[in-house]
Amino acid sequence: MRHFLNVSTHGEAVGSLGFEPREDRYDFRYADDWRGRRDAFPLSPHIGLNGEMPPTGTLQRFIGNLLPEGRALDVASIVYQISKDNIYGLIRMLGREPVGALSFLASDDAPLADQRQESGAETRRIVGEEELTERIRDRDTIPFPVWDRRVRLSVAGYQDKLQVLLEGRQMSLVDGGALSSTHILKPESRNPGTPFMVANEHFCMTLAAQMGLPAAPVTLRRVPEPILLIERFDRHVTRAQGDPGRVDAVRRLHVIDGCQALDLPVSFKYERNFGNTKDVRSIREGVSFAKLFSLAPHFVTPAVARTFMTRWAVFQLLIGNSDAHGKNLSFFMQRGGLAPAPLYDLVSVNAYGEMVEQEMAMSYGDAFRLEEITPFELASFAQRTGVQPRYLAREIVRMAQAARSLAPGLARSELYVGDERALLESVARFIDRQAERLLAIAPEVPKVDRKLL
Ligand SMILES: Nc1ncnc2c1ncn2[C@@H]1O[C@H](COP(=O)(O)OP(=O)(O)OP(=O)(O)O)[C@@H](O)[C@H]1O
Ligand SMILES: [Mg+2]
């Protein structure tokens, strides 16, 4: 029997997603009205508006990439009694407000706005600071994504998080109708090996912004548990006239991540898609810089894509972020093609030492570890990505100088307290060492003989 979900945006039909469970077969048809609209956008570059059926597996991969990972996925599967492989069943339950502009609604679901009017229900489920602190402290017993017996998380990623509507200091859960979430809220990591992640991510995101990189704006708040509030770039907020603290409407913008843009499954988010043990380390079918840069022709402006990806790559070297994988960069999906979205999930993983994986998610040339970076490997990176070595060297110098001059002051900011300060000071010292090393390497990159690469 074929099942289907209505795919819509702001109550407008985009298309219909069909699923034949015994065959595990998906299909998708755009609504004719949608295809005719001037502001129509495709789900992804691989699910074109031309009406052709996408290649086998593309729809599964697209949907799989929308789902949470890690514990949130376990929790959703337990709460709704749906197997973790049943991505159709999961998107049916979690698909009201995934990242991007789309809602996936079962045909018997009333459109979100109508449902609310009928029930007269309050659209905002307010989350007070006291309740939030309690829920963060009780995470081991009550899973963080579950609120009022519903899984309130439908954003990808491993870490605990929540999508919230932020109005001044007030935080609420909303259902993805007229009001969608405006921020992603992250508490500290549950892993004792990675303390002060809130401060770490706040620091790295702020450093990126101070360096002039487009990074999603972040706020560190203590409720009193520390939380990071990340402004969503896939949301456009209209505030109430006369009351700027109140949100009137939230428009959703369509974005896709690196895996979706490349039509790769979640399991390909690291270049070494089977891990780095000896027997499989040579298998590198996952997202790599070469693959990401091959997306340039899909961009509205290919040159902008190359600049964006080069800077994204260099910044990870400066902060020592080994977890910059294929789902940690995203693109706006517009009718005319892709455009880079702001940076997010920037963390100095290096701060936690060898207890945490320090192998980079993607190799620079063939170097997966920071200490293996040499002029040769960076020249090889340039060759594989089609970037001019001279340009790469210039960007490295500019960014390294900016990072080392800004990091120490930022680490001393009054915003950070207690042991966060020691961690950030060690991050700033690391950035300084990395910058120095990269400044020494950069001028050698254009000199590497291309015939040797
Ligand atoms: N500011 C933002 N605006 C819109 N979408 C975002 C934003 N930040 C993150 N996302 C989306 O949410 C997903 C999860 O966010 P993020 O990467 O910060 O979480 P994470 O759990 O720390 O990830 P990881 O699994 O890489 O550790 C991202 O993959 C991206 O699709
Ligand atoms: Mg992430």
Side-chain angles (χ1 to χ4, degrees):
M1 185 184 163
R2 179 178 178 271
H3 302 269
F4 72 96
L5 295 175
N6 293 318
V7 182
S8 61
T9 186
H10 304 105
E12 307 271 347
V14 172
S16 163
L17 175 75
F19 178 53
E20 168 54 67
R22 275 177 69 91
E23 309 291 330
D24 199 26
R25 206 173 45 227
Y26 289 78
D27 61 79
F28 181 77
R29 266 174 238 298
Y30 284 102
D32 288 340
D33 283 356
W34 178 255
R35 286 173 56 197
R37 282 172 61 135
R38 271 198 320 135
D39 56 351
F41 51 82
L43 271 56
S44 88
H46 308 277
I47 310 172
L49 281 169
N50 56 13
E52 274 172 31
M53 200 47 79
T56 313
T58 296
L59 292 162
Q60 283 98 311
R61 291 189 282 274
F62 179 81
I63 298 163
N65 272 301
L66 294 176
L67 297 173
E69 298 158 78
R71 189 172 183 235
L73 180 61
D74 296 342
V75 168
S77 135
I78 294 164
V79 169
Y80 296 128
Q81 296 192 306
I82 300 172
S83 145
K84 282 199 276 180
D85 325 312
N86 184 352
I87 57 165
Y88 178 86
L90 289 167
I91 199 69
R92 191 175 177 284
M93 297 310 293
L94 302 176
R96 287 178 165 246
E97 202 206 338
V99 171
L102 305 172
S103 294
F104 295 78
L105 300 173
S107 49
D108 50 359
D109 272 357
L112 293 163
D114 298 356
Q115 212 175 38
R116 246 188 347 260
Q117 273 161 14
E118 274 166 31
S119 67
E122 173 54 72
T123 51
R124 293 170 174 80
R125 188 317 192 172
I126 293 176
V127 176
E129 296 196 347
E130 210 171 300
E131 183 184 17
L132 183 56
T133 279
E134 214 168 276
R135 288 297 311 271
I136 294 171
R137 290 181 181 160
D138 289 348
R139 272 184 292 172
D140 287 341
T141 17
I142 317 169
F144 193 58
V146 180
W147 293 71
D148 312 320
R149 291 189 295 281
R150 267 177 63 195
V151 178
R152 301 297 300 238
L153 175 74
S154 49
V155 169
Y158 243 85
Q159 302 295 327
D160 273 344
K161 63 178 92 59
L162 209 54
Q163 58 225 57
V164 295
L165 172 74
L166 189 67
E167 296 170 296
R169 282 199 78 82
Q170 180 179 285
M171 289 172 273
S172 326
L173 304 174
V174 283
D175 64 9
L179 280 182
S180 301
S181 62
T182 56
H183 288 72
I184 293 176
L185 180 162
K186 285 188 182 176
E188 290 292 5
S189 159
R190 291 169 68 235
N191 177 354
T194 55
F196 313 118
M197 281 273 267
V198 168
N200 189 336
E201 188 167 341
H202 182 273
F203 172 90
C204 294
M205 294 287 288
T206 310
L207 177 66
Q210 289 186 355
M211 286 168 61
L213 299 171
V218 286
T219 315
L220 195 167
R221 197 181 276 187
R222 301 181 196 272
V223 292
E225 285 289 316
I227 55 168
L228 186 67
L229 289 163
I230 309 147
E231 193 177 302
R232 295 190 69 149
F233 46 73
D234 57 348
R235 302 291 181 260
H236 186 268
V237 177
T238 315
R239 299 195 180 273
Q241 274 196 339
D243 183 3
R246 194 167 169 88
V247 169
D248 243 0
V250 184
R251 253 201 104 63
R252 295 172 57 186
L253 307 174
H254 197 43
V255 294
I256 58 173
D257 67 27
C259 284
Q260 290 172 312
L262 287 163
D263 192 16
L264 293 174
V266 180
S267 58
F268 277 48
K269 67 182 184 178
Y270 294 105
E271 180 173 334
R272 281 182 166 150
N273 48 317
F274 288 119
N276 60 7
T277 51
K278 211 167 158 206
D279 48 335
V280 288
R281 55 196 286 116
S282 60
I283 304 170
R284 290 163 58 174
E285 295 167 326
V287 181
S288 62
F289 287 117
K291 286 199 173 87
L292 284 174
F293 279 75
S294 77
L295 286 170
H298 288 288
F299 276 71
V300 179
T301 320
V304 169
R306 290 194 196 96
T307 308
F308 165 73
M309 290 192 260
T310 304
R311 291 179 181 165
W312 186 80
V314 173
F315 190 75
Q316 315 301 347
L317 289 179
L318 284 165
I319 62 170
N321 181 11
S322 55
D323 207 32
H325 55 65
K327 296 182 71 60
N328 276 341
L329 80 173
S330 289
F331 315 108
F332 291 107
M333 177 77 256
Q334 300 155 354
R335 185 167 202 138
L338 300 172
L343 275 54
Y344 58 91
D345 209 6
L346 303 172
V347 175
S348 174
V349 177
N350 186 276
Y352 303 116
E354 289 299 324
M355 296 296 283
V356 183
E357 182 59 67
Q358 293 300 336
E359 187 178 291
M360 303 297 277
M362 297 174 208
S363 67
Y364 296 70
D366 285 321
F368 277 93
R369 296 190 62 94
L370 293 178
E371 59 275 17
E372 293 165 5
I373 301 283
T374 57
F376 180 86
E377 299 296 3
L378 289 183
S380 163
F381 167 94
Q383 194 198 39
R384 290 177 201 191
T385 54
V387 163
Q388 287 298 324
R390 230 169 264 290
Y391 166 72
L392 176 63
R394 258 201 326 269
E395 283 296 318
I396 292 175
V397 169
R398 206 181 49 77
M399 288 177 65
Q401 283 168 343
R404 77 183 324 188
S405 75
L406 291 163
L410 182 58
R412 284 193 298 271
S413 158
E414 301 282 306
L415 272 175
Y416 309 119
V417 299
D419 292 341
E420 291 171 355
R421 300 180 73 86
L423 180 94
L424 296 184
E425 270 167 29
S426 83
V427 172
R429 281 195 300 276
F430 171 79
I431 290 173
D432 189 62
R433 286 198 302 278
Q434 274 301 96
E436 192 168 316
R437 214 166 101 67
L438 290 170
L439 284 169
I441 290 174
E444 304 304 314
V445 175
K447 296 183 198 157
V448 173
D449 183 350
R450 286 182 194 206
K451 289 199 284 293
L452 298 176
L453 295 171

